[in-house]
Amino acid sequence: MSTNTNNNGLYDVADLQHIANELFKALPNEFPKEISLSPDHNDHPKATKVVETLLSTGNLAEFTPNTSLQNPTTAYPSHSPVSGLGVSPSVGNYANTGVAGLYPVTDLDTVFPNDKNFNINNPNTGFSDVNLKGSSNDNNPFSSFALNDNYLPFQTQSSSFESELREALASVNTAFGIQPALTLNPAEAQNSYYFLENNPFAFDKKNSFPTAGKGSSFHGIHQLKSTPFDANLIKKDFPILSEKVNGKPLIWFDNAATTQKPKSVIDRIAYFYEHENSNIHRAAHELAARASDAYEAAREKVKTFLNAGSINEIVFVRGATEGINLVAQSWGDNNLSAGDEIVVSNLEHHANIVPWKRLADKKGLKLRVIPVDDDGQILLDEYAKLLNSKTKIVAFTQVSNALGTVTPAKKMVEMAQAVGAKVLLDGAQSVSHMKVDVQDLNADWLVFSGHKIFGPTGIGVLYGKEDLLNDMQPYQSGGNMIQDVTFEEIKYHKAPNRFEAGTGNIADAIGLGAAIDYVTKIGINAIGQYEHYLLEYATKLLKEIPGVRLIGTAANKASVLSFNLQGYSNDEVGQALNKEGIAVRTGHHCAQPILRRLGVETTVRPSLAFYNTTQDVDKFIETLWELKKVRF
Ligand code: PMP
């Protein structure tokens, strides 16, 4: 590679820009197809790494920077790794390219010594992606920036927050017995699930998965590999996360609305329809046995996941909404009478308000509301004052979908049961973020939706204590839920069949089982810890943006960052983020009472999951800063 030099013996910028663009064109899709060496452009971090490397090795002469760049006026956070370069600082991990005003004095071949054989169709021939574990190499001049095997992208930065984060993540890996990294070979990194052995045929026959020799192409879960928690690799298990939206890599921050599905879940459902599809429980043939086995195996997985005492306590329903309606009607309608009191919290999703309000209106019951403080935290003293001998049921959420508040659920259950009330816990926003142990929590019922825990839509779970479920009236009636029918008398099954009238959502229940397998193999506690630090990271950066008002500032939160941005409507913010490929929800999030309590009608609500990375957060924050530059 050769370039012209200018009078000072430095290479010509136009030549360099040309060379750089040739190089970038050859890269896989996620790289920009064009970079500019103009001071005003904010290009790919890769370019920054080049420049930083060259600067640090003395291979670049610094050019007098553009004055506007010497005096950055925008209030960017100060922790940028390039803020000392005299060029426009940037956000978080994503340094500004810094290429502005810098003249290289070296051949680019020396910058990419091992990365020259690009094949546009094969990402593995591109130069190492600094963000992917195992793709760096020792001779790579970026190695001081690139990830070492055990580190997430932000962990190579030096602020105290990030070193703390690094230590915390290291402890996630050790606490959960995860061994130091295995180096993934490129084929493995591309084809297999992050933590799974890539053996398509080694499945447990009991779960009706393919067995050796059947030749299925199913690549599913087999066994845990000793690999550290690495969100960048986990991302690869979710095909949709490779989508482009508006030409940008999709960043899915709408996890509180629904989560994306790993390939293992998608494959499991396809496998059901290709090899097992049948109605369940009522036939002598092979496929009925396979389908019934797989469906009941999924129930068993849910039971283990929740630590329920028995599979009879696990009822498949359509989702959290149906679970709550089931309890309100089957139990509430038959056990409550005028003057009785129902207690819900101010944090509730409409799904945990409307069925109770309707029941209260129908039967002359009193609906009472546990208040929250200005941070969105339950006021336990006020809650205690609401409880009395008339309180028959307390229904509340473990995690607020609008604010992310984690409620002191165990304590609240105890307090309700002390006055003889039953408790329904809404686990729609908790089960994917923290260990939920129904025996420990001791609630009488718990509901959640499959689609919020990386499983399919149209399937969810009602957990209930076995005796209580067997005491309850059926919800819907018809086939499957009866023991015997005559025109004179009907005998119902016990739970769970008692509540599963008609043909259920068999395939998606099995898909939910696969989702639970996936989460379990990664480890719900490891997920919780990783997400906790990711949320802290995002919260810290979000708070630094002038004009951001965080809605929901509880000490104990999970996943959710609701906010308003001064000068913009929430829809405008959502649309601006969407332009960058970032999906967030804007609106009232089906939780109008709590938003009104905090003085707003709607918010912008990013919500995180374990496949999100600090780079996703950085991009999100960077986009908000861009908005702030335009309108203050
Ligand atoms: N409760 C909470 C806390 C929720 O976040 C949701 C969904 N947003 C629901 C209940 C209802 O879940 P689904 O729509 O899946 O039935």
Side-chain angles (χ1 to χ4, degrees):
M1 226 177 265
S2 69
T3 55
N4 297 319
T5 54
N6 68 10
N7 294 342
N8 301 323
L10 299 174
Y11 291 138
D12 187 90
V13 167
D15 279 357
L16 284 164
Q17 185 164 303
H18 175 73
I19 291 165
N21 280 322
E22 286 301 308
L23 183 68
F24 275 71
K25 266 183 212 145
L27 295 176
N29 287 344
E30 69 263 28
F31 293 90
K33 291 299 166 225
E34 189 140 7
I35 65 162
S36 163
L37 297 187
S38 133
D40 299 320
H41 279 74
N42 191 5
D43 287 321
H44 194 273
K46 190 73 72 182
T48 311
K49 303 299 180 200
V50 176
V51 172
E52 285 178 312
T53 304
L54 293 175
L55 260 182
S56 70
T57 55
N59 283 328
L60 271 185
E62 206 159 342
F63 167 71
T64 308
N66 177 314
T67 43
S68 68
L69 295 171
Q70 277 177 312
N71 302 304
T73 49
T74 50
Y76 279 102
S78 58
H79 70 284
S80 163
V82 290
S83 53
L85 288 179
V87 294
S88 177
S90 86
V91 181
N93 205 43
Y94 272 3
N96 182 287
T97 65
V99 288
L102 298 168
Y103 284 143
V105 291
T106 188
D107 191 302
L108 287 181
D109 281 351
T110 62
V111 180
F112 304 113
N114 294 300
D115 290 317
K116 289 186 292 187
N117 301 319
F118 301 123
N119 169 353
I120 193 77
N121 295 317
N122 182 357
N124 293 312
T125 62
F127 60 68
S128 308
D129 186 332
V130 292
N131 304 323
L132 280 184
K133 184 173 73 63
S135 64
S136 58
N137 71 56
D138 291 345
N139 301 322
N140 189 324
F142 306 131
S143 59
S144 61
F145 304 105
L147 294 175
N148 290 320
D149 280 349
N150 288 323
Y151 298 122
L152 287 163
F154 54 90
Q155 293 175 301
T156 53
Q157 296 180 21
S158 56
S159 81
S160 63
F161 178 79
E162 279 129 15
S163 11
E164 225 174 78
L165 197 49
R166 181 183 325 169
E167 276 164 32
L169 280 161
S171 76
V172 172
N173 289 331
T174 42
F176 297 95
I178 299 168
Q179 303 301 313
L182 292 178
T183 305
L184 288 182
N185 67 45
E188 214 180 354
Q190 246 195 333
N191 299 330
S192 72
Y193 299 106
Y194 142 66
F195 51 84
L196 306 171
E197 198 167 283
N198 191 17
N199 178 351
F201 302 112
F203 294 102
D204 180 357
K205 180 112 186 354
K206 193 168 150 260
N207 292 335
S208 307
F209 276 72
T211 49
K214 285 198 177 169
S216 162
S217 62
F218 186 84
H219 289 246
I221 288 173
H222 176 48
Q223 104 186 18
L224 184 63
K225 258 192 169 172
S226 303
T227 310
F229 191 97
D230 187 330
N232 283 295
L233 285 181
I234 285 172
K235 232 178 209 208
K236 287 177 169 275
D237 289 348
F238 294 75
I240 206 168
L241 297 179
S242 304
E243 277 296 297
K244 292 269 161 68
V245 169
N246 293 322
K248 309 284 169 54
L250 170 65
I251 295 175
W252 186 255
F253 276 176
D254 198 12
N255 294 290
T258 199
T259 53
Q260 300 302 349
K261 321 305 169 200
K263 182 97 168 41
S264 59
V265 168
I266 298 166
D267 285 350
R268 187 64 189 86
I269 295 167
Y271 184 82
F272 172 78
Y273 284 119
E274 286 170 1
H275 300 281
E276 300 166 332
N277 180 44
S278 163
N279 212 325
I280 51 172
H281 296 158
R282 289 182 297 259
H285 59 72
E286 167 70 16
L287 292 194
R290 286 187 200 171
S292 303
D293 280 359
Y295 183 77
E296 291 306 328
R299 197 190 305 277
E300 181 80 40
K301 287 171 190 182
V302 175
K303 178 220 143 200
T304 306
F305 184 65
L306 295 179
N307 191 31
S310 156
I311 52 166
N312 298 331
E313 299 184 322
I314 306 300
V315 179
F316 283 123
V317 289
R318 220 159 39 84
T321 301
E322 190 176 51
I324 297 166
N325 277 278
L326 189 160
V327 174
Q329 289 176 37
S330 295
W331 182 84
D333 210 5
N334 290 295
N335 289 279
L336 302 181
S337 45
D340 286 343
E341 295 182 1
I342 299 172
V343 173
V344 297
S345 91
N346 205 342
L347 293 168
E348 299 314 305
H349 185 280
H350 296 166
N352 204 21
I353 298 173
V354 182
W356 302 115
K357 172 75 178 132
R358 290 184 70 202
L359 189 65
D361 290 349
K362 177 179 166 191
K363 300 186 69 96
L365 315 171
K366 189 164 179 187
L367 187 64
R368 308 189 74 183
V369 181
I370 311 167
V372 298
D373 65 15
D374 292 344
D375 292 313
Q377 305 175 114
I378 295 280
L379 289 166
L380 280 177
D381 290 350
E382 298 300 318
Y383 171 48
K385 289 184 206 158
L386 295 178
L387 297 170
N388 61 60
S389 60
K390 284 187 267 173
T391 315
K392 292 295 182 295
I393 180 164
V394 178
F396 69 95
T397 192
Q398 201 174 3
V399 174
S400 149
N401 71 307
L403 311 184
T405 307
V406 179
T407 59
K410 190 172 172 179
K411 173 93 192 142
M412 290 172 72
V413 171
E414 264 172 36
M415 289 167 73
Q417 289 171 344
V419 297
K422 299 266 182 277
V423 182
L424 180 143
L425 200 51
D426 179 352
Q429 296 293 344
S430 60
V431 289
S432 59
H433 303 297
M434 61 188 64
K435 177 71 195 152
V436 172
D437 178 329
V438 288
Q439 295 193 58
D440 181 50
L441 287 164
N442 201 28
D444 298 279
W445 303 277
L446 178 133
V447 296
F448 73 90
S449 299
H451 70 98
K452 292 188 200 279
I453 183 167
F454 318 104
T457 50
I459 190 74
V461 169
L462 165 69
Y463 155 85
K465 289 181 178 166
E466 190 167 357
D467 291 347
L468 183 57
L469 288 179
N470 287 331
D471 264 357
M472 286 161 59
Q473 290 300 307
Y475 175 52
Q476 295 183 335
S477 41
N480 205 36
M481 47 81 74
I482 44 78
Q483 246 175 24
D484 193 71
V485 176
T486 66
F487 288 110
E488 286 71 42
E489 193 193 6
I490 294 167
K491 287 192 182 135
Y492 303 118
H493 273 310
K494 290 190 165 182
N497 293 2
R498 184 187 201 81
F499 299 105
E500 293 183 3
T503 300
N505 189 348
I506 303 163
D508 292 321
I510 295 166
L512 173 58
I516 285 175
D517 280 341
Y518 186 88
V519 166
T520 304
K521 298 258 163 129
I522 292 177
I524 190 69
N525 290 329
I527 288 170
Q529 282 207 29
Y530 171 72
E531 288 179 353
H532 174 75
Y533 288 103
L534 193 62
L535 185 66
E536 300 249 305
Y537 179 80
T539 305
K540 173 180 176 282
L541 294 179
L542 194 57
K543 276 183 175 163
E544 287 172 6
I545 301 173
V548 162
R549 180 188 164 202
L550 265 172
I551 313 289
T553 42
N556 196 0
K557 282 181 60 170
S559 172
V560 173
L561 289 147
S562 256
F563 69 96
N564 297 143
L565 181 64
Q566 193 189 2
Y568 287 89
S569 75
N570 293 323
D571 284 348
E572 283 176 321
V573 175
Q575 281 156 17
L577 290 166
N578 183 53
K579 271 196 194 134
E580 297 303 318
I582 304 168
V584 299
R585 188 135 302 235
T586 59
H588 59 49
H589 320 303
C590 296
Q592 287 177 306
I594 186 57
L595 293 190
R596 289 183 178 144
R597 160 65 182 85
L598 298 183
V600 293
E601 280 293 317
T602 64
T603 68
V604 183
R605 185 195 64 178
S607 49
L608 311 175
F610 64 93
Y611 43 56
N612 295 131
T613 63
T614 48
Q615 287 174 301
D616 296 343
V617 171
D618 290 342
K619 182 74 201 155
F620 158 72
I621 296 286
E622 190 181 309
T623 308
L624 297 181
W625 276 107
E626 289 302 319
L627 287 179
K628 276 325 271 184
K629 274 202 248 173
V630 179
R631 226 187 271 168
F632 244 91

